[in-house]
Coordinates of all heavy atoms in Angstrom, one line a residue:
M1 N 137.9 125.2 146.1 CA 136.8 126.1 145.7 C 137.2 127.0 144.5 O 136.3 127.3 143.7 CB 136.4 127.0 146.9 CG 135.6 126.3 147.9 SD 134.1 125.6 147.3 CE 133.0 126.9 147.7
L2 N 138.5 127.3 144.4 CA 138.9 128.2 143.3 C 138.7 127.5 141.9 O 138.7 128.2 140.9 CB 140.3 128.7 143.5 CG 140.5 129.7 144.6 CD1 141.9 130.1 144.7 CD2 139.6 130.9 144.4
T3 N 138.7 126.2 141.9 CA 138.5 125.5 140.6 C 137.2 125.8 140.0 O 137.0 125.7 138.8 CB 138.7 124.0 140.8 OG1 137.8 123.5 141.8 CG2 140.1 123.6 141.2
Q4 N 136.2 126.2 140.8 CA 134.9 126.6 140.3 C 135.1 127.8 139.3 O 134.4 127.9 138.3 CB 134.0 127.1 141.4 CG 133.4 126.0 142.3 CD 132.5 126.6 143.3 OE1 132.1 127.7 143.3 NE2 132.2 125.8 144.3
L5 N 136.0 128.7 139.6 CA 136.2 129.9 138.8 C 136.8 129.5 137.5 O 136.6 130.1 136.5 CB 137.1 130.9 139.5 CG 136.4 131.7 140.6 CD1 137.5 132.5 141.4 CD2 135.4 132.7 140.0
E6 N 137.7 128.5 137.5 CA 138.4 128.1 136.3 C 137.4 127.4 135.3 O 137.6 127.5 134.1 CB 139.5 127.1 136.6 CG 140.6 127.8 137.5 CD 141.6 126.8 138.0 OE1 141.5 125.6 137.8 OE2 142.5 127.2 138.7
Q7 N 136.4 126.8 135.8 CA 135.5 125.9 135.0 C 134.1 126.6 134.7 O 133.5 126.1 133.8 CB 135.3 124.6 135.7 CG 136.6 123.9 135.9 CD 136.5 122.7 136.8 OE1 135.4 122.4 137.4 NE2 137.5 121.9 136.9
A8 N 133.7 127.5 135.5 CA 132.3 128.1 135.4 C 132.3 129.4 134.7 O 133.4 130.1 134.5 CB 131.7 128.1 136.7
G9 N 131.2 129.9 134.4 CA 131.0 131.3 133.9 C 131.4 132.2 135.1 O 131.1 131.9 136.2
K10 N 132.0 133.3 134.8 CA 132.4 134.2 135.9 C 132.4 135.6 135.5 O 132.4 136.0 134.3 CB 133.8 133.8 136.4 CG 134.9 134.0 135.3 CD 136.2 133.4 135.8 CE 137.2 133.1 134.7 NZ 136.9 131.9 134.0
V11 N 132.4 136.5 136.5 CA 132.6 137.9 136.4 C 133.8 138.2 137.3 O 134.0 137.6 138.4 CB 131.4 138.8 136.7 CG1 130.3 138.5 135.7 CG2 130.9 138.5 138.1
V12 N 134.6 139.2 136.9 CA 135.8 139.6 137.7 C 135.7 141.1 137.9 O 135.5 141.9 137.0 CB 137.1 139.2 137.0 CG1 138.3 139.6 137.8 CG2 137.1 137.7 136.7
G13 N 136.0 141.5 139.1 CA 136.0 142.9 139.5 C 134.8 143.4 140.3 O 133.8 142.7 140.3
V14 N 135.0 144.5 141.0 CA 134.0 145.0 141.9 C 132.7 145.4 141.1 O 131.6 145.0 141.5 CB 134.5 146.2 142.7 CG1 133.4 146.8 143.5 CG2 135.7 145.8 143.6
K15 N 132.8 146.2 140.1 CA 131.6 146.7 139.4 C 130.8 145.6 138.7 O 129.6 145.5 138.9 CB 132.0 147.7 138.3 CG 132.5 149.0 138.9 CD 132.9 150.0 137.8 CE 133.5 151.2 138.3 NZ 133.9 152.1 137.2
Q16 N 131.5 144.6 138.1 CA 130.8 143.5 137.4 C 130.2 142.6 138.4 O 129.0 142.1 138.2 CB 131.8 142.8 136.5 CG 132.2 143.5 135.3 CD 133.1 142.7 134.4 OE1 133.3 141.5 134.6 NE2 133.7 143.3 133.4
T17 N 130.8 142.4 139.5 CA 130.3 141.5 140.6 C 129.1 142.1 141.2 O 128.0 141.5 141.4 CB 131.3 141.1 141.6 OG1 132.4 140.5 141.0 CG2 130.8 140.2 142.7
R18 N 129.2 143.4 141.5 CA 128.0 144.1 142.1 C 126.8 144.1 141.2 O 125.7 143.8 141.6 CB 128.4 145.6 142.4 CG 127.3 146.3 143.1 CD 127.6 147.8 143.4 NE 128.9 148.0 144.1 CZ 129.9 148.6 143.7 NH1 129.9 149.2 142.5 NH2 131.0 148.8 144.4
R19 N 127.1 144.4 139.9 CA 126.0 144.3 138.9 C 125.3 142.9 138.9 O 124.1 142.8 138.8 CB 126.5 144.7 137.6 CG 125.4 144.9 136.5 CD 126.0 145.4 135.2 NE 126.7 146.6 135.3 CZ 128.0 146.8 134.9 NH1 128.7 145.8 134.4 NH2 128.5 148.0 135.1
A20 N 126.2 141.9 138.8 CA 125.6 140.5 138.7 C 124.9 140.2 140.0 O 123.8 139.5 139.9 CB 126.8 139.5 138.5
L21 N 125.3 140.6 141.2 CA 124.6 140.4 142.4 C 123.2 141.1 142.4 O 122.2 140.5 142.7 CB 125.4 140.9 143.6 CG 126.4 140.0 144.2 CD1 127.4 140.7 145.1 CD2 125.8 138.8 144.9
R22 N 123.2 142.3 141.9 CA 121.9 143.0 141.8 C 121.0 142.4 140.8 O 119.7 142.4 141.0 CB 122.2 144.5 141.4 CG 122.8 145.3 142.6 CD 123.0 146.7 142.2 NE 123.6 147.4 143.3 CZ 124.3 148.6 143.1 NH1 124.4 149.1 142.0 NH2 124.8 149.2 144.2
D23 N 121.5 141.8 139.8 CA 120.7 141.1 138.8 C 120.3 139.7 139.2 O 119.5 139.0 138.5 CB 121.4 141.0 137.5 CG 121.6 142.3 136.8 OD1 121.0 143.3 137.2 OD2 122.5 142.4 135.9
G24 N 120.8 139.2 140.4 CA 120.5 137.9 140.9 C 121.1 136.7 140.1 O 120.6 135.6 140.1
R25 N 122.2 137.0 139.5 CA 122.9 136.0 138.7 C 124.0 135.2 139.4 O 124.5 134.2 138.8 CB 123.5 136.6 137.4 CG 122.4 137.2 136.5 CD 123.0 137.8 135.2 NE 124.0 138.8 135.5 CZ 125.2 138.8 134.9 NH1 125.6 137.9 134.1 NH2 126.0 139.9 135.2
V26 N 124.4 135.6 140.5 CA 125.6 135.1 141.2 C 125.3 133.8 142.0 O 124.4 133.8 142.7 CB 126.3 136.2 142.1 CG1 127.4 135.6 142.9 CG2 126.7 137.4 141.3
K27 N 126.2 132.9 141.8 CA 126.1 131.6 142.6 C 127.0 131.6 143.8 O 126.7 131.2 144.9 CB 126.5 130.4 141.7 CG 125.5 130.2 140.5 CD 125.9 129.1 139.7 CE 125.0 129.0 138.5 NZ 125.4 128.1 137.5
T28 N 128.3 132.2 143.6 CA 129.2 132.2 144.7 C 130.1 133.5 144.5 O 130.5 133.8 143.3 CB 130.2 131.0 144.7 OG1 129.4 129.8 144.8 CG2 131.1 131.0 145.9
V29 N 130.4 134.2 145.6 CA 131.3 135.4 145.5 C 132.6 135.0 146.1 O 132.7 134.3 147.1 CB 130.7 136.6 146.3 CG1 131.7 137.7 146.4 CG2 129.4 137.0 145.6
F30 N 133.7 135.4 145.4 CA 135.1 135.1 145.9 C 135.7 136.4 146.2 O 135.7 137.3 145.4 CB 135.9 134.4 144.8 CG 135.4 133.0 144.6 CD1 134.3 132.8 143.7 CD2 135.9 131.9 145.2 CE1 133.9 131.5 143.4 CE2 135.5 130.6 145.0 CZ 134.4 130.4 144.1
L31 N 136.3 136.6 147.4 CA 136.9 137.8 147.9 C 138.3 137.5 148.4 O 138.5 136.5 149.0 CB 136.1 138.5 149.0 CG 134.6 138.8 148.7 CD1 133.9 139.2 149.9 CD2 134.5 139.9 147.6
A32 N 139.2 138.5 148.1 CA 140.6 138.3 148.5 C 140.8 139.1 149.9 O 140.4 140.2 150.0 CB 141.6 138.9 147.5
R33 N 141.4 138.4 150.8 CA 141.6 139.0 152.2 C 142.6 140.1 152.1 O 142.5 141.0 153.0 CB 142.1 137.9 153.1 CG 141.0 136.9 153.5 CD 141.5 136.1 154.7 NE 140.6 135.0 154.9 CZ 139.4 135.0 155.5 NH1 139.0 136.2 156.0 NH2 138.7 133.9 155.7
D34 N 143.5 140.1 151.2 CA 144.5 141.2 151.2 C 144.1 142.4 150.3 O 144.8 143.3 150.1 CB 145.9 140.7 150.7 CG 145.9 140.2 149.3 OD1 144.8 139.9 148.7 OD2 147.0 140.0 148.7
A35 N 142.8 142.4 149.8 CA 142.3 143.5 149.1 C 141.8 144.6 150.1 O 141.6 144.3 151.3 CB 141.1 143.0 148.2
D36 N 141.6 145.7 149.6 CA 141.1 146.9 150.4 C 139.7 146.5 150.9 O 138.7 146.2 150.2 CB 141.0 148.1 149.5 CG 140.6 149.3 150.3 OD1 140.2 149.2 151.5 OD2 140.6 150.4 149.7
P37 N 139.5 146.5 152.3 CA 138.2 146.2 152.8 C 137.1 147.1 152.4 O 135.9 146.7 152.4 CB 138.4 146.3 154.3 CG 139.9 146.2 154.5 CD 140.5 146.7 153.3
A38 N 137.4 148.3 152.0 CA 136.4 149.2 151.4 C 135.8 148.7 150.2 O 134.7 149.1 149.8 CB 137.0 150.6 151.2
L39 N 136.5 147.8 149.5 CA 136.0 147.2 148.3 C 135.2 145.9 148.6 O 134.2 145.6 148.0 CB 137.1 146.9 147.3 CG 137.9 148.1 146.7 CD1 139.1 147.6 145.9 CD2 137.0 149.0 145.9
T40 N 135.8 145.1 149.4 CA 135.3 143.7 149.7 C 134.1 143.7 150.6 O 133.2 142.9 150.4 CB 136.4 142.8 150.2 OG1 137.0 143.3 151.4 CG2 137.5 142.6 149.1
E41 N 134.2 144.5 151.7 CA 133.1 144.4 152.7 C 131.7 144.7 152.2 O 130.8 143.9 152.5 CB 133.5 145.2 153.9 CG 134.7 144.7 154.7 CD 134.5 143.3 155.3 OE1 133.4 143.0 155.7 OE2 135.5 142.6 155.3
P42 N 131.5 145.7 151.4 CA 130.2 146.0 150.9 C 129.6 144.8 150.0 O 128.5 144.5 150.1 CB 130.3 147.3 150.1 CG 131.5 147.9 150.6 CD 132.4 146.8 151.1
L43 N 130.5 144.2 149.3 CA 130.1 143.1 148.5 C 129.8 141.8 149.3 O 128.9 141.1 149.0 CB 131.1 142.8 147.4 CG 131.2 143.8 146.3 CD1 132.4 143.5 145.3 CD2 129.9 143.9 145.5
A44 N 130.6 141.6 150.4 CA 130.3 140.5 151.3 C 128.9 140.7 151.9 O 128.2 139.8 152.1 CB 131.4 140.4 152.3
E45 N 128.7 142.0 152.3 CA 127.4 142.3 152.9 C 126.2 142.1 152.0 O 125.2 141.5 152.3 CB 127.4 143.7 153.4 CG 126.2 144.1 154.2 CD 126.3 145.5 154.8 OE1 127.4 145.9 155.3 OE2 125.3 146.2 154.7
L46 N 126.4 142.5 150.7 CA 125.3 142.4 149.7 C 125.1 140.9 149.4 O 123.9 140.5 149.3 CB 125.7 143.1 148.4 CG 124.7 143.2 147.3 CD1 123.4 143.8 147.7 CD2 125.3 143.9 146.1
A47 N 126.2 140.1 149.3 CA 126.0 138.7 149.1 C 125.3 138.0 150.2 O 124.4 137.2 150.0 CB 127.4 138.1 148.9
G48 N 125.6 138.4 151.5 CA 125.0 137.9 152.6 C 123.5 138.2 152.6 O 122.7 137.3 153.0
E49 N 123.1 139.4 152.3 CA 121.7 139.8 152.2 C 120.9 138.9 151.2 O 119.8 138.7 151.4 CB 121.6 141.2 151.8 CG 122.0 142.2 152.9 CD 122.1 143.6 152.4 OE1 121.8 143.9 151.3 OE2 122.5 144.5 153.2
Q50 N 121.6 138.5 150.2 CA 120.9 137.8 149.1 C 121.1 136.2 149.3 O 120.6 135.5 148.5 CB 121.5 138.2 147.7 CG 121.1 139.6 147.4 CD 121.5 140.0 146.0 OE1 122.0 139.2 145.2 NE2 121.3 141.2 145.7
G51 N 121.8 135.8 150.3 CA 122.0 134.4 150.6 C 123.0 133.7 149.7 O 122.9 132.5 149.5
V52 N 123.9 134.5 149.1 CA 124.9 134.0 148.2 C 126.1 133.6 149.0 O 126.6 134.5 149.8 CB 125.3 135.1 147.1 CG1 126.4 134.6 146.3 CG2 124.1 135.4 146.3
P53 N 126.7 132.4 148.9 CA 127.9 132.1 149.6 C 129.1 132.9 149.3 O 129.2 133.3 148.1 CB 128.1 130.6 149.2 CG 127.0 130.2 148.4 CD 126.2 131.4 148.0
V54 N 129.9 133.2 150.3 CA 131.1 134.0 150.1 C 132.3 133.1 150.5 O 132.3 132.5 151.5 CB 131.1 135.3 151.0 CG1 132.4 136.0 150.9 CG2 129.9 136.2 150.6
V55 N 133.3 133.1 149.6 CA 134.5 132.3 149.8 C 135.6 133.3 149.8 O 135.8 134.1 148.9 CB 134.8 131.3 148.7 CG1 136.1 130.6 148.9 CG2 133.6 130.3 148.6
W56 N 136.4 133.3 150.9 CA 137.6 134.2 151.1 C 138.8 133.5 150.7 O 139.1 132.4 151.1 CB 137.7 134.7 152.5 CG 136.6 135.6 152.9 CD1 135.4 135.3 153.5 CD2 136.6 137.0 152.8 NE1 134.7 136.4 153.7 CE2 135.4 137.5 153.3 CE3 137.6 138.0 152.3 CZ2 135.1 138.9 153.3 CZ3 137.3 139.3 152.4 CH2 136.0 139.8 152.9
T57 N 139.6 134.1 149.8 CA 141.0 133.6 149.5 C 142.0 134.5 150.2 O 141.7 135.6 150.6 CB 141.2 133.7 147.9 OG1 141.2 135.0 147.5 CG2 140.1 132.9 147.2
E58 N 143.2 134.0 150.3 CA 144.2 134.8 151.0 C 144.8 135.9 150.2 O 145.0 137.0 150.8 CB 145.3 133.8 151.5 CG 144.9 132.9 152.6 CD 144.4 133.6 153.8 OE1 145.1 134.6 154.3 OE2 143.4 133.2 154.4
H59 N 145.0 135.7 148.9 CA 145.7 136.7 148.1 C 145.0 137.1 146.8 O 144.4 136.2 146.2 CB 147.1 136.2 147.8 CG 147.9 135.9 149.0 ND1 148.4 136.8 149.8 CD2 148.2 134.7 149.6 CE1 149.1 136.2 150.9 NE2 148.9 134.9 150.7
M60 N 145.1 138.3 146.5 CA 144.5 138.8 145.2 C 145.1 138.1 144.0 O 144.5 137.8 143.1 CB 144.7 140.3 145.1 CG 143.9 141.1 146.0 SD 144.3 142.9 146.0 CE 144.0 143.3 144.3
R61 N 146.4 137.8 144.1 CA 147.2 137.2 143.0 C 146.6 135.8 142.7 O 146.4 135.4 141.6 CB 148.6 137.1 143.4 CG 149.5 136.5 142.3 CD 150.4 137.5 141.7 NE 151.1 137.0 140.7 CZ 151.1 137.5 139.4 NH1 150.3 138.4 139.1 NH2 151.8 136.9 138.5
E62 N 146.3 135.1 143.8 CA 145.7 133.7 143.8 C 144.3 133.8 143.1 O 144.0 132.9 142.2 CB 145.6 133.2 145.2 CG 145.0 131.9 145.4 CD 144.8 131.5 146.8 OE1 144.9 132.3 147.7 OE2 144.6 130.3 147.1
L63 N 143.6 134.7 143.4 CA 142.2 134.9 142.9 C 142.3 135.3 141.4 O 141.6 134.7 140.5 CB 141.4 135.9 143.6 CG 139.9 136.1 143.3 CD1 139.2 134.8 143.3 CD2 139.3 137.1 144.2
G64 N 143.2 136.1 141.0 CA 143.4 136.5 139.7 C 143.9 135.3 138.8 O 143.4 135.2 137.7
Q65 N 144.8 134.5 139.3 CA 145.2 133.3 138.6 C 144.1 132.4 138.3 O 143.9 131.8 137.2 CB 146.3 132.6 139.3 CG 147.6 133.4 139.2 CD 148.7 132.7 140.0 OE1 148.5 131.9 140.9 NE2 150.0 133.1 139.8
A66 N 143.2 132.2 139.3 CA 142.1 131.3 139.2 C 141.1 131.8 138.1 O 140.4 131.0 137.5 CB 141.3 131.1 140.5
C67 N 141.1 133.1 138.0 CA 140.2 133.7 137.0 C 140.8 133.8 135.6 O 140.2 134.2 134.6 CB 139.8 135.2 137.4 SG 138.8 135.3 138.8
G68 N 142.1 133.4 135.5 CA 142.8 133.4 134.2 C 143.2 134.7 133.7 O 143.4 135.0 132.5
I69 N 143.5 135.6 134.7 CA 144.0 136.9 134.3 C 145.4 137.1 134.9 O 145.8 136.4 135.8 CB 143.1 138.1 134.8 CG1 143.0 138.1 136.3 CG2 141.8 138.0 134.1 CD1 142.2 139.3 136.9
A70 N 146.2 138.0 134.3 CA 147.6 138.1 134.7 C 147.9 139.0 135.9 O 149.0 139.2 136.3 CB 148.4 138.7 133.5
V71 N 146.8 139.6 136.4 CA 147.0 140.5 137.6 C 146.1 140.0 138.7 O 145.3 139.1 138.5 CB 146.6 142.0 137.2 CG1 147.5 142.6 136.2 CG2 145.2 142.0 136.7
G72 N 146.3 140.5 139.9 CA 145.5 140.1 141.0 C 144.0 140.6 140.9 O 143.8 141.6 140.1
A73 N 143.1 140.0 141.5 CA 141.7 140.4 141.5 C 141.2 140.4 143.0 O 141.5 139.5 143.8 CB 140.9 139.4 140.8
A74 N 140.5 141.5 143.3 CA 140.0 141.6 144.7 C 138.7 140.8 144.8 O 138.4 140.3 145.9 CB 139.7 143.1 145.0
V75 N 137.9 140.8 143.7 CA 136.6 140.2 143.7 C 136.3 139.4 142.5 O 136.7 139.9 141.4 CB 135.5 141.3 143.9 CG1 134.1 140.8 143.9 CG2 135.8 142.2 145.1
A76 N 135.6 138.3 142.6 CA 135.2 137.6 141.4 C 133.9 136.8 141.9 O 133.7 136.7 143.0 CB 136.2 136.6 140.9
A77 N 133.2 136.3 140.9 CA 132.0 135.6 141.2 C 131.6 134.6 140.1 O 131.9 134.9 138.9 CB 130.8 136.5 141.4
T78 N 131.1 133.5 140.5 CA 130.6 132.5 139.5 C 129.1 132.9 139.2 O 128.4 133.3 140.0 CB 130.6 131.1 139.9 OG1 129.9 131.0 141.2 CG2 132.1 130.6 140.1
V79 N 128.8 132.8 137.9 CA 127.4 133.1 137.5 C 126.8 132.0 136.7 O 127.5 131.1 136.3 CB 127.4 134.4 136.6 CG1 127.7 135.6 137.4 CG2 128.2 134.3 135.4

């Protein structure tokens, strides 16, 4: 599933993902299990309300690498 992030348009981070969800542009949300639940849970809930699939990854580092950034990422989404 993470290969979608490498090949598709994406947004990375809580604020950008929340904005894209509100704008109705998100196809899939990716969340890291080791991220702070205060960040990930509201986005998982918002995605669920909008019928957007949520994919959980184990580690922020893994998600960051899939996004092509040098640091970990708690949240990302394909748009």
Side-chain angles (χ1 to χ4, degrees):
M1 283 302 262
L2 290 179
T3 56
Q4 289 180 13
L5 283 170
E6 296 169 359
Q7 300 169 351
K10 64 185 157 284
V11 293
V12 181
V14 174
K15 290 180 184 177
Q16 290 184 8
T17 301
R18 184 182 307 118
R19 186 177 305 123
L21 277 166
R22 288 183 181 156
D23 293 345
R25 299 184 297 130
V26 174
K27 296 177 185 171
T28 306
V29 172
F30 294 84
L31 303 171
R33 290 193 191 279
D34 64 342
D36 184 353
L39 299 174
T40 58
E41 291 302 324
L43 288 175
E45 187 175 315
L46 183 58
E49 290 171 2
Q50 295 186 1
V52 174
V54 175
V55 176
W56 289 91
T57 65
E58 288 302 314
H59 303 285
M60 292 174 56
R61 183 110 182 119
E62 175 184 19
L63 188 54
Q65 286 176 344
C67 293
I69 61 176
V71 295
V75 181
T78 56
V79 293

